[in-house]
Amino acid sequence: MEEIVHDFFPFMRVYKDGRIVRLMGEGFVPPESDPETGVQIKDVEIDPQINLSARLYLPKNVDTLQKIPLFVYFHGGGFVIESASSPSYHKHISKVAAEAKVVIVSVNYRLAPEYLLPIAYEDSWLALKWVTSHANDDGHEPWLKDHADFNRVYFGGDSAGGNIAHHIAIRVGLEKLDGMKLEGIFLACPFFWGKDPIDGEEENLGSKDIFEKLWLFVNPNSSGLDDPLINPEKDPKLSSLGCDKVVVYVAGKDLLRFRGFYYKEVLEKSGWPGTVEVVEVKDEAHVFHLSATEAENAMAMMKKLASFLNQS
């Protein structure tokens, strides 16, 4: 039997000979219009030299020059699996575009361990800069030039993607991007953690070991679980979050739920002037909305997201 040097079952395994075997998240759906929702879908290259791309979604019945909110989405998968073209994300984002009637850019950032952190963050920032170039007529993508309202921009993500959305929003607050106004971020079961357990986490310390191993695997130069990239409480830039509205969804059976509540607490204490809401969905597991998109709780979350994206 071949020796496994890193085992992150059921996500991936790394063998002694260097082989990386992803056990899930490898599916691919072509960028074809969704017959169920009528949403138009296409893939775009952002930087071919580094294989950075995105999947774009445009809802049906949008008038020729009608401006609608723009939702930039970062998929989850522990920084190691999944993509913007994975079946679960393709289906979920299509439904969001139809329900909320928004333009969506789903970012295909590069994955670890082939591309260790902070590559995922840097790719996501480059993708956002490409997106916002269309606010100043520098870009050439017609769906963004003709239909994206850059005064109504939102970020979203689940799990590791929620972590990315949070950090890209902080960078927006610090560096600003001309022609764009970030209204809010929507985080589903975001991947945050910390060195010291908080209330509730003691019940499953085994998961702490898994989270720590995964974090140091994808970010081997990290200082550990109190790295500001994984623990918002330790981030001196937290109050710079570049929007004034945040919604966090947590699942009742997800150990990360305690960090979702704690995120609200530390964000409010940081001096950040916005409002943050946490919604807990009882009896659901991590990223439940992706595994059963038609279920009652997933549909309720979808409607909440659609409402959030159309506040202004």
Side-chain angles (χ1 to χ4, degrees):
M1 183 178 292
E2 296 178 84
E3 184 177 349
I4 299 171
V5 292
H6 295 288
D7 193 349
F8 297 109
F9 182 83
F11 308 117
M12 71 179 302
R13 287 179 172 140
V14 181
Y15 291 86
K16 190 174 183 179
D17 63 5
R19 282 187 304 116
I20 298 164
V21 178
R22 290 181 168 87
L23 305 173
M24 59 186 298
E26 289 285 85
F28 174 84
V29 178
E32 299 171 349
S33 297
D34 185 352
E36 181 182 342
T37 62
V39 172
Q40 297 179 68
I41 302 166
K42 65 179 170 182
D43 288 343
V44 295
E45 287 188 328
I46 295 173
D47 188 338
Q49 291 188 323
I50 60 171
N51 197 29
L52 176 59
S53 64
R55 180 157 289 194
L56 272 56
Y57 298 77
L58 182 69
K60 67 178 180 179
N61 298 330
V62 178
D63 294 338
T64 305
L65 295 177
Q66 181 183 358
K67 299 290 188 179
I68 55 179
L70 171 62
F71 187 38
V72 181
Y73 195 83
F74 307 94
H75 70 79
F79 301 102
V80 297
I81 60 170
E82 302 289 2
S83 72
S85 52
S86 296
S88 55
Y89 287 101
H90 179 89
K91 185 173 184 179
H92 172 63
I93 299 299
S94 295
K95 288 181 175 294
V96 174
E99 179 74 26
K101 199 171 184 180
V102 294
V103 181
I104 302 180
V105 177
S106 183
V107 178
N108 223 7
Y109 57 86
R110 289 172 290 173
L111 300 176
E114 295 91 340
Y115 301 97
L116 297 169
L117 294 183
I119 288 293
Y121 300 110
E122 294 302 324
D123 281 0
S124 298
W125 181 251
L126 285 174
L128 180 63
K129 289 179 71 175
W130 173 82
V131 168
T132 55
S133 71
H134 296 80
N136 306 310
D137 290 328
D138 292 331
H140 303 289
E141 171 47 53
W143 287 4
L144 296 178
K145 289 182 69 171
D146 295 343
H147 300 297
D149 184 346
F150 287 95
N151 289 312
R152 292 187 290 166
V153 178
Y154 296 83
F155 297 165
D158 63 279
S159 195
N163 175 300
I164 293 173
H166 160 79
H167 284 291
I168 298 302
I170 286 180
R171 194 160 176 180
V172 166
L174 290 169
E175 300 186 27
K176 315 299 180 187
L177 288 173
D178 289 342
M180 186 203 86
K181 183 178 190 301
L182 180 62
E183 291 281 351
I185 59 175
F186 190 97
L187 312 180
C189 307
F191 181 26
F192 298 126
W193 202 250
K195 182 178 179 180
D196 298 321
I198 58 176
D199 288 347
E201 289 177 350
E202 298 88 347
E203 68 189 50
N204 194 345
L205 291 178
S207 292
K208 176 183 181 294
D209 293 336
I210 294 172
F211 292 143
E212 183 166 18
K213 287 176 182 176
L214 177 62
W215 178 249
L216 292 176
F217 177 68
V218 301
N219 194 6
N221 294 320
S222 171
S223 58
L225 290 179
D226 277 343
D227 185 326
L229 289 174
I230 192 70
N231 187 351
E233 182 188 18
K234 303 300 182 181
D235 191 350
K237 300 174 291 187
L238 183 60
S239 63
S240 298
L241 191 74
C243 61
D244 58 15
K245 293 186 286 288
V246 176
V247 171
V248 181
Y249 259 72
V250 298
K253 293 181 178 179
D254 183 6
L255 188 60
L256 292 177
R257 70 189 183 279
F258 303 108
R259 291 288 163 174
F261 285 110
Y262 196 51
Y263 175 76
K264 178 180 189 296
E265 183 180 325
V266 298
L267 192 54
E268 290 176 336
K269 288 180 178 178
S270 73
W272 174 71
T275 59
V276 53
E277 175 188 4
V278 176
V279 179
E280 182 176 14
V281 184
K282 302 288 187 181
D283 301 320
E284 292 286 5
H286 187 63
V287 296
F288 63 93
H289 61 290
L290 295 175
S291 57
T293 57
E294 307 291 342
E296 181 180 352
N297 285 334
M299 294 301 293
M301 177 178 163
M302 177 81 67
K303 291 187 181 302
K304 174 77 171 181
L305 173 55
S307 175
F308 182 71
L309 298 177
N310 284 280
Q311 290 183 78
S312 54

